[in-house]
Amino acid sequence: MKVTDCNDKKIKRVLIVGGGTSGWIAAASLSHLYNHADLNIRLVESQEIATVGVGEATVPHIRYFNARLGLDEREFMKSTQATFKLGNEFRNWGREGLRYAHPFGAFGESVAGVGFHHHWVRAHKKGLASEIGDYALSVQMMNKGRFALPDKDPQSVLSTFSYAYQFDAYLYAAYLRKYSEARGVVRTEGKVTHVEQHPETGDVTAIQLASGERIVADLFIDCTGFHGLLIEQTLKTGYEDWSHWLPNDRAWAVNCEIREGHLPLTRNTAHKVGWQWRIPLQHRLGNGYVHSSAFIDEQDALDTLMNNLEGPTLTEPKLLKFVTGKRKKQWNKNVVAIGLSSGFLEPLESTSIHLIHLAVTNLVEMFPDKDFRDEDRDEYNRIMSMEYTRVRDFLILHYHATERTDSEFWNYCRTMEIPDALKYEMDLFRQRAVVVNYKQKFFLEPSWLSVYFGQGVMPDSYDPLSERLNDAELEALMVHTKSRIDQAVDAMPSNGAFLEAYCPGSVTPEKALH
């Protein structure tokens, strides 16, 4: 009887179709983990096919992803023209003229076994507290344009925040390409003209390039963007359309000179239809206007963006078209879709690159053999679907929790039916200031609190255990928390000065004013 060698079942050839940010993140991750294994990793991309390349703002998880790859932070920041990011600033969302921050950090500290925000709600109702942002270190750092690295000592107030980056997505892809190729990834320039499938299973078996080359693989990773060459055009996987909750379907993007300075934040300013992003890099400013074609035409949207730039343009405006949603399966047969080919959620909370990291991490944890077990695919799809859905609901909150009545767009968002899970969460918060926390949930309590409070959603009540503090103790808690934060922030250097010292020569003096 023939004994089957288990090595025959091992995946030996991985083909990543498409480059850009998602393709090179996948290549870097796999080449780092399987550098000494018998795994051939190849990436095919075409310079004829433009990448989106506007997802320049990130969330703190990228630091841990980079650390796993062994990347040096200073070298990474210099190579990608990166700046520090402490969170997102929102203008005109709850109502026109309103400004708040979603920080990468906590609001105060739990006292007497009760979360700080419950004490704050009680204090605010009694007139004993100022705005919630006064009690978050990262918010005050953003407001004052200061920066310092977090402290590892949990007793230090400097341990209560985190940070991410803002960088050039093209340079990030190039940086990871260099990293990947040094670890054995082979890049092939070429345009795919045909995809071959197994006649019985439907699995993808090979691709053919315009050059005539045929490339065979065991596992295919689709990073071909919105087109979804393998996952959709070939496998007909299907797409869940979420545009009835998130109606924006267009974005103009353009780069300009930076004039205001290097503030450690991404700014999202709401307009009558949609919103505009401002992302400061070391060498330029990234701008974009996300909007809905059902409520504004493309020329008016472009005019809105161009009239709200702070400096001369460096590039021609680029129009992106999209449908918010996700693939019904992000892993179908022997194809895993990563990046825009797997789904799209507008960059309101800078989640695009995080979802790529998450997809790659889960693929590595469930890395298949040639049998491609249904159980692994189902679990991967379940996890990724849940992550997309929970990010989706958090984005919907920004649009639905508004008092704006100045346009049809905001009237639609304010009055639309929302997913049941989000309705339950909002109702619970309005009643008792409770934020629903799941075991697997990217945006944790401080994130939800920032949007709730920032957009005027105030709870009727709070945790009754807050009554353990009398009014004098409650007021003292507010004063002490704010004072401790103010002292820490005032002792920090400006963000521009810190960036110049951390990455010498990266920021010119006139641009390091803040």
Side-chain angles (χ1 to χ4, degrees), residues 13 134 154 183 203 262 267 319 370 389 403 420 455 500:
R13 298 165 299 185
D134 291 343
R183 287 158 180 78
D203 286 355
H262 288 85
R267 179 178 297 153
L319 181 64
K370 292 180 182 178
T389 299
E403 299 172 7
D420 290 341
Q455 295 191 197
E500 172 62 17

Side-chain angles (χ1 to χ4, degrees), residues 334-393:
N334 64 335
V335 173
V336 178
I338 294 177
L340 298 178
S341 60
S342 68
F344 181 78
L345 295 170
E346 62 186 75
L348 182 58
E349 286 287 358
S350 310
T351 52
S352 296
I353 290 177
H354 168 69
L355 289 169
I356 296 171
H357 289 159
L358 192 65
V360 172
T361 300
N362 281 307
L363 174 59
V364 167
E365 290 180 354
M366 304 174 194
F367 200 76
D369 58 27
K370 292 180 182 178
D371 286 341
F372 287 98
R373 295 181 347 126
D374 288 338
E375 294 85 352
D376 294 331
R377 281 184 291 226
D378 291 346
E379 179 63 5
Y380 179 92
N381 288 324
R382 183 191 70 80
I383 292 173
M384 292 306 300
S385 176
M386 178 180 62
E387 294 288 354
Y388 267 77
T389 299
R390 287 178 178 165
V391 172
R392 176 203 71 186
D393 287 356

Side-chain angles (χ1 to χ4, degrees), residues 15-19 22-23 26 219-235 237 327 330 334-342:
L15 181 61
I16 302 168
V17 182
S22 58
L219 172 66
F220 292 80
I221 299 179
D222 187 341
C223 297
T224 60
F226 294 126
H227 186 57
L229 175 63
L230 304 182
I231 196 71
E232 190 60 44
Q233 301 305 313
T234 302
L235 297 183
T237 301
R327 300 290 170 203
Q330 296 186 14
N334 64 335
V335 173
V336 178
I338 294 177
L340 298 178
S341 60
S342 68

Side-chain angles (χ1 to χ4, degrees), residues 67-139:
R68 285 198 299 271
L69 296 183
L71 304 183
D72 178 80
E73 184 172 69
R74 285 183 171 89
E75 179 191 351
F76 157 76
M77 294 186 71
K78 285 183 179 180
S79 299
T80 61
Q81 293 289 297
T83 56
F84 294 109
K85 176 182 174 181
L86 292 166
N88 294 310
E89 179 189 73
F90 289 89
R91 296 186 174 186
N92 303 329
W93 282 81
R95 58 179 179 273
E96 290 186 274
L98 191 67
R99 170 184 169 275
Y100 73 93
H102 168 198
F104 300 143
F107 293 97
E109 296 177 321
S110 297
V111 176
V114 178
F116 179 84
H117 76 277
H118 288 281
H119 295 299
W120 179 83
V121 170
R122 180 178 162 224
H124 193 263
K125 290 178 178 293
K126 290 176 173 288
L128 302 176
S130 54
E131 295 303 312
I132 188 67
D134 291 343
Y135 307 96
L137 177 67
S138 43
V139 172

Side-chain angles (χ1 to χ4, degrees), residues 488-503:
V489 173
D490 290 343
M492 295 177 183
S494 71
N495 179 63
F498 186 95
L499 186 62
E500 172 62 17
Y502 200 67
C503 301

Side-chain angles (χ1 to χ4, degrees), residues 268-454:
N268 299 326
T269 303
H271 293 303
K272 286 193 173 182
V273 178
W275 58 280
Q276 179 176 337
W277 75 71
R278 178 191 186 275
I279 304 175
L281 310 187
Q282 293 178 19
H283 61 314
R284 64 170 171 80
L285 187 66
N287 309 273
Y289 178 32
V290 181
H291 57 281
S292 169
S293 61
F295 294 93
I296 188 172
D297 64 45
E298 290 178 2
Q299 186 58 51
D300 287 343
L302 178 59
D303 292 342
T304 299
L305 174 61
M306 301 302 285
N307 291 334
N308 285 280
L309 299 180
E310 66 186 57
T313 59
L314 300 173
T315 57
E316 290 297 318
K318 179 180 180 180
L319 181 64
L320 308 172
K321 298 181 180 181
F322 56 86
V323 177
T324 299
K326 68 172 185 65
R327 300 290 170 203
K328 292 181 178 179
K329 294 180 181 178
Q330 296 186 14
W331 182 350
N332 190 3
K333 298 187 182 296
N334 64 335
V335 173
V336 178
I338 294 177
L340 298 178
S341 60
S342 68
F344 181 78
L345 295 170
E346 62 186 75
L348 182 58
E349 286 287 358
S350 310
T351 52
S352 296
I353 290 177
H354 168 69
L355 289 169
I356 296 171
H357 289 159
L358 192 65
V360 172
T361 300
N362 281 307
L363 174 59
V364 167
E365 290 180 354
M366 304 174 194
F367 200 76
D369 58 27
K370 292 180 182 178
D371 286 341
F372 287 98
R373 295 181 347 126
D374 288 338
E375 294 85 352
D376 294 331
R377 281 184 291 226
D378 291 346
E379 179 63 5
Y380 179 92
N381 288 324
R382 183 191 70 80
I383 292 173
M384 292 306 300
S385 176
M386 178 180 62
E387 294 288 354
Y388 267 77
T389 299
R390 287 178 178 165
V391 172
R392 176 203 71 186
D393 287 356
F394 187 57
L395 299 186
I396 294 172
L397 174 66
H398 295 65
Y399 290 99
H400 189 61
T402 183
E403 299 172 7
R404 290 191 63 156
T405 59
D406 57 301
S407 69
E408 291 183 16
F409 174 82
W410 289 107
N411 286 335
Y412 172 84
C413 294
R414 192 186 68 257
T415 60
M416 67 182 173
E417 289 294 322
I418 59 176
D420 290 341
L422 177 59
K423 185 178 186 304
Y424 167 75
E425 293 181 45
M426 292 186 69
D427 288 346
L428 188 61
F429 183 80
R430 283 191 174 105
Q431 293 166 12
R432 295 185 279 132
V434 172
V435 175
V436 177
N437 286 312
Y438 301 100
K439 280 187 177 181
Q440 290 176 300
K441 183 177 183 180
F442 172 55
F443 290 108
L444 302 179
E445 184 176 87
S447 298
W448 288 80
L449 291 175
S450 66
V451 180
Y452 280 138
F453 291 137

